[in-house]
Amino acid sequence: MKILFSVIIISLFAVATQFILPWWHIVPSAFLGAILVFQNHAVKSFVSGFIGIALFWGIFAGMLNNANDGILATRISTLLGAGGPFNLVIATAFVGGILGGFGAMTGDLFRQMITNKK
């Protein structure tokens, strides 16, 4: 249940800051989300950050793809050899998920480092 709550918090942070900050705002969003939601293990934080940001970037990239009828995504996927605009959207979500996962894992490890001082 904590993973679902963490995914929602991370996604909300990312949505709230997407028009204010540059593209890499997903990393601090995942970092803050992992600090706020305590999880028992850094791997759980990575998974929640990955899912939260991958969903956010995947949905956002899909919306942008649909807004221009897939013209740009088709051209870019042809240029990169991605095999179609859908594969490009999936690759975008995967890259965002990796960044969000590492941001969340860093936030969780930072919180553990601060709270476990003796």
Side-chain angles (χ1 to χ4, degrees):
M1 193 65 169
K2 283 186 178 181
I3 290 179
L4 179 63
F5 184 65
S6 180
V7 165
I8 292 170
I9 293 294
I10 290 169
S11 295
L12 288 177
F13 279 158
V15 168
T17 59
Q18 75 175 341
F19 296 113
I20 302 168
L21 299 173
W23 67 268
W24 49 265
H25 74 281
I26 59 173
V27 176
S29 298
F31 183 89
L32 290 174
I35 286 177
L36 292 177
V37 180
F38 176 74
Q39 302 210 1
N40 295 336
H41 203 275
V43 174
K44 290 181 182 178
S45 292
F46 180 86
V47 169
S48 63
F50 182 90
I51 292 171
I53 298 299
L55 283 175
F56 166 65
W57 262 20
I59 291 169
F60 194 64
M63 288 171 41
L64 291 176
N65 184 37
N66 288 335
N68 64 14
D69 295 327
I71 295 170
L72 182 62
T74 302
R75 290 182 181 177
I76 296 296
S77 67
T78 302
L79 182 67
L80 296 176
F86 181 74
N87 291 343
L88 190 63
V89 170
I90 295 298
T92 301
F94 182 75
V95 169
I98 293 291
L99 291 171
F102 281 126
M105 186 172 70
T106 303
D108 185 64
L109 293 173
F110 179 74
R111 184 192 34 75
Q112 287 179 14
M113 181 183 73
I114 296 300
T115 58
N116 289 338
K117 282 191 173 184
K118 294 180 180 181

